[in-house]
Amino acid sequence: MKLLEGKTVLVTGASTGIGRAAAIGAAQHGADVVINYHSRDEDAQSCIAAIEAAGGRGLAVKGDVADAATATDFVARAVDAFGGVDVMISNAGICPFHAFLDMPTETVERTFRVNLHGAYYMVQAAARQMVAQGRGGAIVAVSSISALVGGEFQTHYTPTKAGVHSLMQSTAIALGKHGIRCNSVLPGTILTEINKEDLADDGKRRYMEARTPLGRLGQPEDMVGPIVFLASDMAAYVTGAALLVDGGMYVNLQ
Ligand SMILES: NC(=O)C1=CN([C@@H]2O[C@H](COP(=O)(O)OP(=O)(O)OC[C@H]3O[C@@H](n4cnc5c(N)ncnc54)[C@H](O)[C@@H]3O)[C@@H](O)[C@H]2O)C=CC1
Ligand SMILES: C[C@H](O)[C@@H]1OC(=O)[C@H](O)[C@@H]1O
């Protein structure tokens, strides 16, 4: 069953990882897909090729989500190309692991700007378009298990993920009257470029695997079902919710 037939889906940070898998997954579910990407033209084009191979129409728009103008441009380009916006998947993010006491100011500010300001601007630009269209919509933000638990080398990152989760709760209230649903997914540890270096440490990787009751770390494709579900009409009465997708890692105390 195709869950996003006839919808236009926008995904930020979609040239790699979870965003890429979500973009291709949306196309497999019948959507036209517009992707935002930051810098890697070849990866963006290969994502568009995969969207088209899945039967959807695709468009890649370059831009830094930390800049508010990127969001308005992204939405305008989607409307020009495909006539509107039905779903926004706010996914772009960075996590430059670093110790707390000597954390460079620029690292903190860049992480906040990309992960939190970027999500805010994208969600707001999509919501403005959805309200103008008058046919509702769905917003899915990629938060994290890190919205709920800390990380020694993620003191600049975990607050942004809690912030994204909180943003979905508040926008669910602000936008419910317009028929726009806002939810977050909270991935556990998914094997992507964001943690390639961190998990190159065998001890760290084995520890994270051992914490996961399902016995393995996640793949980007593990995020597709939960994201597509929340974006689709199957979730018509779900808003302000947060869906952990972590193989059980969060509940595994002992
Ligand atoms: N991989 C994991 O274990 C987890 C990832 N997440 C979140 O998932 C999201 C996607 O990350 P992954 O796919 O894992 O890693 P990734 O590194 O493959 O993807 C992040 C994407 O965001 C893009 N990006 C970074 N800065 C950007 C900017 N300024 N403007 C536009 N795009 C930008 C990157 O180019 C990249 O395509 C992030 O928000 C991350 O915080 C959340 C929980 C766990
Ligand atoms: C980058 C981390 O490995 C990843 O991102 C998160 O949000 C979680 O902390 C994951 O472990």
Side-chain angles (χ1 to χ4, degrees):
M1 182 172 51
K2 292 195 171 183
L3 296 181
L4 299 174
E5 200 86 66
K7 295 194 190 290
T8 299
V9 174
L10 278 59
V11 190
T12 70
S15 57
T16 62
I18 294 169
R20 179 188 174 91
I24 297 167
Q28 287 165 343
H29 277 276
D32 294 324
V33 184
V34 187
I35 67 164
N36 151 270
Y37 71 103
H38 186 222
S39 52
R40 286 160 47 173
D41 299 323
E42 256 182 45
D43 287 345
Q45 284 317 316
S46 98
C47 181
I48 296 299
I51 288 165
E52 290 172 351
R57 293 180 294 172
L59 173 70
V61 183
K62 196 171 190 167
D64 179 347
V65 296
D67 178 356
T70 297
T72 49
D73 175 58
F74 184 43
V75 168
R77 295 280 301 278
V79 173
D80 274 356
F82 302 137
V85 174
D86 299 295
V87 175
M88 165 62 79
I89 300 168
S90 174
N91 163 78
I94 56 173
C95 182
F97 285 78
H98 204 287
F100 179 52
L101 294 177
D102 63 351
M103 178 76 71
T105 307
E106 313 82 66
T107 307
V108 176
E109 290 187 354
R110 181 68 183 158
T111 305
F112 280 23
R113 282 205 203 99
V114 172
N115 294 7
L116 188 52
H117 297 200
Y120 193 100
Y121 300 140
M122 282 290 177
V123 168
Q124 186 186 47
R128 285 175 172 157
Q129 176 62 28
M130 289 171 183
V131 170
Q133 290 168 185
R135 59 171 194 255
I139 296 171
V140 182
V142 180
S143 171
S144 171
I145 189 174
S146 298
L148 310 176
V149 290
E152 179 177 358
F153 299 100
Q154 295 176 304
T155 55
H156 53 325
Y157 172 80
T158 59
T160 68
K161 292 289 144 180
V164 164
H165 167 54
S166 171
L167 176 64
M168 287 301 96
Q169 293 181 321
S170 288
T171 55
I173 303 166
L175 299 172
K177 60 171 96 54
H178 300 287
I180 300 168
R181 299 180 298 101
C182 301
N183 295 290
S184 55
V185 288
L186 279 54
T189 297
I190 311 293
L191 295 164
T192 67
E193 291 191 18
I194 207 170
N195 51 29
K196 207 171 183 176
E197 207 181 306
D198 186 51
L199 296 175
D201 174 344
D202 270 353
K204 172 84 183 270
R205 184 174 165 139
R206 276 199 299 274
Y207 167 74
M208 300 304 272
E209 284 167 351
R211 280 205 58 169
T212 310
L214 289 184
R216 65 173 177 87
L217 300 181
Q219 295 292 337
E221 291 69 25
D222 288 316
M223 297 306 305
V224 173
I227 291 173
V228 167
F229 162 69
L230 289 171
S232 78
D233 295 342
M234 292 273 282
Y237 199 57
V238 182
T239 197
L243 179 51
L244 261 171
V245 188
D246 68 344
M249 186 186 274
Y250 176 72
V251 298
N252 187 14
L253 179 61
Q254 54 190 312

